[in-house]
Amino acid sequence: MRVPSHESLKVFGPSVSTAEGSDWQRQRKLTATPFNEQKSSSVWSESLRQANDILQSWTSCGLDGAEYCAEDVRTLAINVLAFAGFQKSYPFKGSHQADTTTTTTTTTPSTYRDALAIILQNVLALLVVPSQVFSLPFLPKKWAQVGWAKTAFKKYMLEQLADEKQLISKGKPGSGTLVSNLVRASEEPKALGKSNTGKVHKPLSIDEILGNIFIFNFAGHDTTSISLAYAIFLLAAHPKVQDWISEEIDFYLGSEPDPTKWQYETTFPKLQRCLAVLLETLRLYNPIPGVPKHTGPRPQHLTLSNTLILDIPPNTLVVPGLQALHTHPRYWGPDSLTWRPSRWIIPSPSPPANPSLHTTLLTEKLLTPQKGTFIAWSEGLQNCPGKKFAQVEFVATMARLFRDHRAEAVPDSGLGESLEEARERVMGVVRDSDVELLLKMRETGGVRIRWVER
């Protein structure tokens, strides 16, 4: 029995998102390998590089501000994923700069990153349109380009897979790519592990490796880039929250102006306020409005306080409503609909009479929500394996953007707007969100954000 709602995700092959039962257990174990601390460190470094480039691009726009911040953070997220996937850093190009990845229509994508960018820009079409359609003659150029990108992406991944197997056969260390991690997890006996019945797990097949690489990119790109876009818009509309995270960034990074010297191991755990911005943004504006679950072949009993509330029949799709859960006043207080990142920070229970900023920051702790009240990355055994990846990328980007700069909404001179009115217009854009596969702002092109030194 297959999960109907997940069948469309088999664009390149089965994956941990389409598997069930013992097969899911096997794939989850083997696909968890790439998401380790070594990978987090490289994600941190690459995110800082990309954020540095994006900041230079935005500041070059001067007082007029950058108009396409939401589109630009998509590029940042693609570049970070491409680095994780191929161990190659690509230079950032802003939306106001020429970008051949979106304009070429006569040749196949020239790089792994180009193919990935086209696939992620057209992922909805890939999920709903039969694969054979993209190989039909006389297709519109854009559709043909999607077909080329899909073919090229698979080609790049297969080449990586063959190279990695050759390295293994020669006893050489891996390349560090996602494909490398997955191949080695499948080739090493210790990594394979055993199922609940005591049998050794079989390795991932080629199709499963390709399918999981696609899922990692699909799940990790749009969700992260959408969250970054929301956070930047919200921060531009809330200058006091910018001041709040800047206190933390200045305290821990103020004496080191060179981002290349910000070490993941010692810096990331300290930037709790930056992480709180992500958590609060996901609480109110989670790109995934519901987490599909399936009861499987047996009925499931829903109980509350040891009382049976409902018997859910077998083979039933259940989608918990994240927005209702994440905004319930019982768990999040009377201001549950207000974006307030500070709710995630717990101050010292017994602070001194007039605590210094030093004392305040050193004694703050990150809130651990009551179990079952915050499931932005799902929860339980089937939680998102890329959770740490997303958190590291987001915090690194926030730290670099706001280390020396502020984000300001640019008033529309044609409307005679004040700065406060411009901020309210930004909030109007945030509120005008819609679900098209994922929750995101409907139209961001009319908002300009300028980045000024503070």
Side-chain angles (χ1 to χ4, degrees):
M1 186 273 299
R2 297 175 178 175
V3 181
S5 61
H6 290 171
E7 279 298 288
S8 60
L9 296 176
K10 294 183 179 181
V11 176
F12 289 91
S15 69
V16 68
S17 292
T18 62
E20 290 185 302
S22 60
D23 188 39
W24 174 85
Q25 182 188 38
R26 173 183 67 91
Q27 289 206 46
R28 178 56 191 265
K29 177 175 177 58
L30 295 174
T31 57
T33 303
F35 299 101
N36 52 35
E37 285 300 281
Q38 182 179 359
K39 183 65 70 178
S40 292
S41 180
S42 66
V43 169
W44 171 265
S45 298
E46 183 60 21
S47 299
L48 287 174
R49 277 194 291 270
Q50 293 295 328
N52 191 67
D53 289 351
I54 204 173
L55 183 60
Q56 290 183 17
S57 174
W58 287 345
T59 55
S60 71
C61 296
L63 295 179
D64 290 337
E67 186 176 1
Y68 298 105
C69 291
E71 286 78 3
D72 285 348
V73 292
R74 282 182 59 85
T75 302
L76 179 149
I78 287 175
N79 287 355
V80 173
L81 280 172
F83 179 80
F86 215 57
Q87 289 295 290
K88 181 177 179 181
S89 184
Y90 292 89
F92 171 81
K93 288 185 178 180
S95 299
H96 63 287
Q97 298 171 291
D99 189 348
T100 57
T101 64
T102 57
T103 58
T104 179
T105 56
T106 57
T107 59
T108 57
S110 58
T111 68
Y112 172 96
R113 186 262 180 217
D114 294 348
L116 177 60
I118 294 170
I119 285 172
L120 293 176
Q121 287 165 2
N122 298 276
V123 70
L124 183 58
L126 284 169
L127 294 179
V128 301
V129 177
S131 181
Q132 58 269 28
V133 170
F134 295 105
S135 60
L136 293 175
F138 311 115
L139 278 178
K141 289 183 178 180
K142 182 176 180 180
W143 281 64
Q145 187 184 40
V146 176
W148 297 336
K150 182 179 179 183
T151 300
F153 187 66
K154 185 172 183 177
K155 173 177 174 288
Y156 292 130
M157 290 193 293
L158 288 174
E159 288 174 351
Q160 273 195 341
L161 194 150
D163 291 344
E164 198 60 37
K165 285 185 175 290
Q166 190 172 25
L167 288 174
I168 292 174
S169 69
K170 295 179 179 179
K172 295 183 178 180
S175 59
T177 66
L178 285 175
V179 170
S180 168
N181 296 144
L182 292 176
V183 171
R184 287 181 179 266
S186 292
E187 294 286 340
E188 296 175 3
K190 287 184 180 180
L192 289 176
K194 295 182 179 180
S195 67
N196 291 335
T197 60
K199 294 182 179 179
V200 176
H201 287 309
K202 66 178 181 179
L204 293 172
S205 68
I206 291 177
D207 283 347
E208 286 172 340
I209 290 175
L210 301 187
N212 279 294
I213 292 293
F214 168 71
I215 286 299
F216 292 161
N217 284 293
F218 167 56
H221 173 255
D222 274 356
T223 51
T224 302
S225 63
I226 290 171
S227 298
L228 277 168
Y230 271 119
I232 289 170
F233 276 50
L234 287 161
L235 286 164
H238 294 82
K240 290 184 179 180
V241 179
Q242 289 190 58
D243 294 338
W244 183 69
I245 64 169
S246 294
E247 285 182 344
E248 178 181 75
I249 296 170
D250 289 347
F251 180 74
Y252 290 114
L253 301 174
S255 61
E256 182 49 76
D258 184 359
T260 63
K261 296 180 180 179
W262 301 350
Q263 298 301 310
Y264 160 74
E265 294 81 4
T266 55
T267 307
F268 172 75
K270 297 175 181 176
L271 299 180
Q272 298 182 106
R273 292 184 180 184
C274 291
L275 181 55
V277 171
L278 171 61
L279 298 175
E280 181 71 349
T281 301
L282 289 174
R283 186 181 71 82
L284 290 179
Y285 304 101
N286 196 313
I288 302 175
V291 182
K293 299 291 183 181
H294 206 271
T295 57
R298 293 184 296 275
Q300 299 293 320
H301 308 297
L302 181 64
T303 61
L304 181 63
S305 300
N306 298 320
T307 302
L308 179 64
I309 301 298
L310 180 67
D311 273 327
I312 306 177
N315 305 325
T316 300
L317 178 67
V318 180
V319 184
L322 266 65
Q323 299 305 105
L325 181 64
H326 289 175
T327 58
H328 201 301
R330 180 188 302 167
Y331 311 119
W332 302 102
D335 66 342
S336 61
L337 296 177
T338 299
W339 185 76
R340 183 170 62 82
S342 60
R343 76 174 72 244
W344 289 89
I345 298 297
I346 304 173
S348 171
S350 54
N354 295 298
S356 64
L357 178 61
H358 175 275
T359 300
T360 299
L361 288 169
L362 290 179
T363 56
E364 287 181 346
K365 293 184 179 180
L366 195 68
L367 171 72
T368 299
Q370 180 182 334
K371 184 175 175 60
T373 62
F374 182 72
I375 52 175
W377 287 280
S378 191
E379 195 169 83
L381 293 175
Q382 297 196 23
N383 67 335
C384 174
K387 174 181 177 179
K388 186 67 172 291
F389 188 115
Q391 291 180 344
V392 170
E393 181 180 349
F394 184 96
V395 169
T397 302
M398 289 291 106
R400 183 63 195 99
L401 291 180
F402 293 96
R403 162 64 172 73
D404 301 303
H405 293 78
R406 296 182 61 82
E408 293 183 352
V410 178
D412 188 328
S413 58
L415 298 176
E417 273 186 336
S418 66
L419 183 56
E420 189 57 42
E421 288 170 335
R423 290 169 182 159
E424 184 53 41
R425 179 163 55 86
V426 172
M427 283 305 301
V429 171
V430 170
R431 296 186 191 103
D432 186 25
S433 296
D434 189 25
V435 176
E436 185 180 316
L437 189 61
L438 299 172
L439 177 71
K440 57 185 177 181
M441 291 175 279
R442 193 189 305 270
E443 179 55 57
T444 61
V447 172
R448 287 185 174 273
I449 296 177
R450 61 185 171 216
W451 295 79
V452 296
E453 287 192 37
R454 57 183 180 87

